[in-house]
Amino acid sequence: MQRFEIVVVGAGPAGIAAAVSAAESGAQVCVLDAGAAPGGQIWRGGAERHSRTAARWATRLRQGQQISVQQNTQVVAPLAAGELLVERPDGPQSIGYDRLILATGARELLLPFPGWTLPGVTGVGGLQALIKGGVPIKGRRVVVAGSGPLLLAVAAGLRRSGAEVRLIAEQSDWARLLAFGAQLPLDPARLLQALRLRATLGRTAYRAGCWVEQAHGAEQLEAVTLRHGAQRWREPCEQLACGFGLVPNSELAATLGCAINAGAVVVDYAQQTSVSGILAAGEVAGIAGVEAALAEGAIAGYIAAGRPAQAQPLLARRAAARRFARRLEHTFALRAELRQLASAQTIVCRCEDVHYAALAEHPSWRSAKIHTRCGMGPCQGRICGAATSVLFGWTPESIRPPVAPVALATLITTSSAHSINLEEHV
Amino acid sequence: MAKVNVVINGRPISVAAGSSVAAALALAGVTATRRSITGAARAPVCGIGVCYECRVTINGQAHRLSCQVACAEGMQVVTDAAL
Ligand SMILES: Cc1cc2nc3c(=O)[nH]c(=O)nc-3n(C[C@H](O)[C@H](O)[C@H](O)COP(=O)(O)OP(=O)(O)OC[C@H]3O[C@@H](n4cnc5c(N)ncnc54)[C@H](O)[C@@H]3O)c2cc1C
């Protein structure tokens, strides 16, 4: 087993800032990340290729004398106290830590509607990530739908990649968007960002108070039905990117015993979780964007390295970023109609093909899981758990390790520490 | 641009180095990665290795995530849909 003073899980902006701040304070640091290169979601494919800020952080990470960065490394379960089980392409391994910083980020909230399982329907950030991996999009007709600022950022990227963006359908209405927009000019950096987006998006249609009711096609997406007030129409397209914001990846934190509230890891002013020696930073501790992730990561790094004075100057930046995030959350709150889109036969749990009607009769996630196998497939409820919490108000409970499907060899390693039900997780 | 050669459902294709297996599938015109338990065609959704819809068999190893794995020279990829 390798052992480090500080282990950081996740190499997105929060994890990078945490590792760099801790190492520059003199600690021995190890970063474990499932991806192929540091950067997380926003700096996917290597931070150097993105903004100047991203490149600066990436350089500090690379040049860190006391940082061991381990990519393609998925943390699957806690072993004994102060020890994690990780899975790598070459097999399982255990990593020890004195202090742990969780920076596991977030995933998209995907909501079921008739046809959402058709090939051609993806998340919004999901489509962006697939394109960065080389999936061709040039000349394809795309509808971008759902909610939040990511719709605009991704639509602009799609345009640059040569896609034909037919429409951006934002479910929130103009009243909320304008109330939000009216405050933007106060912040020059964000105004500039907005202007750049406008320039790229040009005449791309943007409708607020508009959402996808249905996706059509036999084996592949052919069109979507859009709804805008009383109006309803069919829009032909090969691709639908539809996402309703983000949900924290708090499963690993939950298996470590950290308190969770509304899906996010609970942290104090110093980014410490309810478990002593475990900190959390970035979107795992609440959806607040890249600036909050960087500030929280740096604070967590300094605190874990025993340098609280260094964290002090970052508190104001964190507070500002979180205030902005709260306004975003209000602006893009989900409308009630979205909970009514699934029909009785719409599949909600994509892994086990459990449809809406089979779930609606259950009082809780636990009951649905036991009786229908909802959430028991390989995604382990990451997609349908978040969806059913919106649809039915359920809270997924009793997270059990491992937090990702693992190879049998890895599982045997964990089973010796915990008693795990093999059948359920293989 | 550097290329790598992979084989998808028995047919060779050459793609840009660094492409994901999901990208190679799309370039080869394979739109579905797997069949759901009731037989429906499925394809990549989340793009970040969370939803497991993109799983395929790579070099004989089942349940690999095509959106997360980069193409390597000579890689053999088989989708459910082809079975
Ligand atoms: C698909 C997607 C696309 C996005 N695109 C944009 C965008 O274009 N612009 C924008 O402003 N915001 C975007 N966001 C929002 C983005 O989440 C934040 O802006 C920012 O990246 C959050 O930083 P973070 O460090 O908290 O988490 P992330 O960037 O999500 O980083 C978390 C890292 O932890 C790793 N990880 C998670 N669990 C484990 C584990 N168990 N073991 C090992 N590693 C693990 C992940 O692989 C990831 O690399 C996107 C979000 C998603 C989900």
Side-chain angles (χ1 to χ4, degrees):
Chain A
M1 181 185 73
Q2 286 179 286
R3 198 174 176 85
F4 300 86
E5 252 179 284
I6 297 175
V7 167
V8 179
V9 185
I16 295 174
V20 164
S21 307
E24 290 176 359
S25 305
Q28 283 289 345
V29 181
C30 171
V31 186
L32 307 172
D33 186 67
Q41 301 313 340
I42 182 167
W43 301 334
R44 172 168 290 273
E48 282 89 347
R49 292 165 34 195
H50 293 260
S51 61
R52 235 173 307 161
T53 313
R56 256 197 314 271
W57 282 106
T59 307
R60 283 170 76 184
L61 182 72
R62 204 180 43 243
Q63 293 176 346
Q65 299 289 321
Q66 311 199 79
I67 313 179
S68 155
V69 183
Q70 310 192 3
Q71 298 297 147
N72 299 306
T73 304
Q74 175 107 32
V75 178
V76 292
L79 286 169
E83 207 180 322
L84 297 172
L85 176 69
V86 305
E87 194 174 56
R88 300 221 180 92
D90 58 356
Q93 208 187 325
S94 76
I95 304 268
Y97 61 87
D98 296 334
R99 283 171 306 285
L100 182 64
I101 301 175
L102 301 171
T104 48
R107 59 181 176 268
E108 275 183 279
L109 173 63
L110 306 173
L111 294 177
F113 50 87
W116 77 305
T117 54
L118 278 171
V121 181
T122 65
V124 173
L127 183 58
Q128 179 193 49
L130 289 165
I131 292 168
K132 283 186 188 167
V135 168
I137 197 70
K138 197 165 180 194
R140 287 171 76 85
R141 293 171 299 179
V142 189
V143 169
V144 179
S147 202
L150 199 54
L151 269 55
L152 290 169
V154 171
L158 286 167
R159 286 274 307 237
R160 280 193 298 270
S161 307
E164 187 188 331
V165 180
R166 300 294 299 168
L167 174 71
I168 303 168
E170 165 61 58
Q171 61 86 36
S172 187
D173 53 35
W174 276 120
R176 277 179 193 254
L177 293 176
L178 290 175
F180 174 68
Q183 303 173 42
L184 276 185
L186 299 175
D187 180 337
R190 291 210 170 85
L191 181 64
L192 190 67
Q193 221 175 27
L195 288 175
R196 281 212 197 101
L197 271 177
R198 256 196 87 149
T200 322
L201 287 170
R203 282 183 301 276
T204 305
Y206 182 88
R207 292 217 195 184
C210 181
W211 64 94
V212 171
E213 279 193 336
Q214 208 173 334
H216 310 274
E219 288 271 283
Q220 213 192 319
L221 182 69
E222 287 161 18
V224 295
T225 295
L226 284 146
R227 171 80 184 275
H228 188 218
Q231 204 188 348
R232 208 181 245 123
W233 74 103
R234 212 173 144 115
E235 184 71 44
C237 56
E238 287 83 41
Q239 206 74 53
L240 167 64
C242 187
F244 293 92
L246 302 174
V247 281
N249 291 324
S250 52
E251 289 76 11
L252 179 62
T255 64
L256 285 157
C258 302
I260 310 284
N261 181 29
V265 180
V266 178
V267 292
D268 66 8
Y269 68 98
Q271 301 297 136
Q272 298 175 111
T273 70
S274 63
V275 177
S276 163
I278 304 183
L279 297 86
E283 301 212 300
V284 69
I287 305 308
V290 63
E291 277 155 61
L294 287 169
E296 292 180 12
I299 292 169
Y302 288 128
I303 296 287
R307 297 287 175 88
Q310 304 266 60
Q312 201 65 34
L314 295 158
L315 300 182
R317 201 183 309 163
R318 179 183 66 185
R322 285 183 178 169
R323 269 197 305 277
F324 183 71
R326 272 196 298 279
R327 279 176 29 216
L328 277 180
E329 194 182 319
H330 172 76
T331 305
F332 296 104
L334 299 183
R335 60 175 59 240
E337 287 95 329
L338 299 172
R339 296 193 184 89
Q340 317 298 328
L341 294 179
S343 72
Q345 290 311 309
T346 301
I347 282 169
V348 175
C349 169
R350 309 174 65 115
C351 297
E352 298 288 333
D353 280 1
V354 185
H355 45 76
Y356 184 90
L359 293 174
E361 60 194 53
H362 290 282
S364 68
W365 170 250
R366 189 179 161 73
S367 166
K369 195 169 169 178
I370 292 167
H371 294 100
T372 69
R373 292 196 55 82
C374 177
M376 308 258 281
C379 100
Q380 294 179 307
R382 280 180 175 71
I383 305 298
C384 62
T388 56
S389 87
V390 172
L391 296 179
F392 307 118
W394 295 346
T395 346
E397 49 197 304
S398 66
I399 303 279
R400 287 203 289 167
V403 295
V406 295
L408 197 57
T410 313
L411 200 53
I412 290 162
T413 322
T414 1
S415 307
S416 53
H418 288 272
S419 62
I420 285 181
N421 179 347
L422 284 172
E423 203 181 61
E424 192 174 318
H425 293 290
V426 180
Chain B
M1 202 193 305
K3 293 268 181 183
V4 286
N5 300 293
V6 297
V7 179
I8 294 183
N9 295 334
R11 291 171 54 184
I13 182 171
S14 174
V15 299
S19 301
S20 66
V21 171
L25 287 162
L27 289 161
V30 176
T31 53
T33 41
R34 70 175 195 105
R35 291 270 160 201
S36 77
I37 59 168
T38 57
R42 296 287 173 79
V45 179
C46 79
I48 63 170
V50 171
C51 75
Y52 284 77
E53 290 286 33
C54 71
R55 58 191 198 267
V56 296
T57 300
I58 299 177
N59 293 339
Q61 209 182 353
H63 309 306
R64 298 296 309 279
L65 300 180
S66 64
C67 81
Q68 297 297 291
V69 178
C71 288
E73 189 62 32
M75 202 176 240
Q76 297 273 346
V77 181
V78 181
T79 64
D80 260 7
L83 300 177

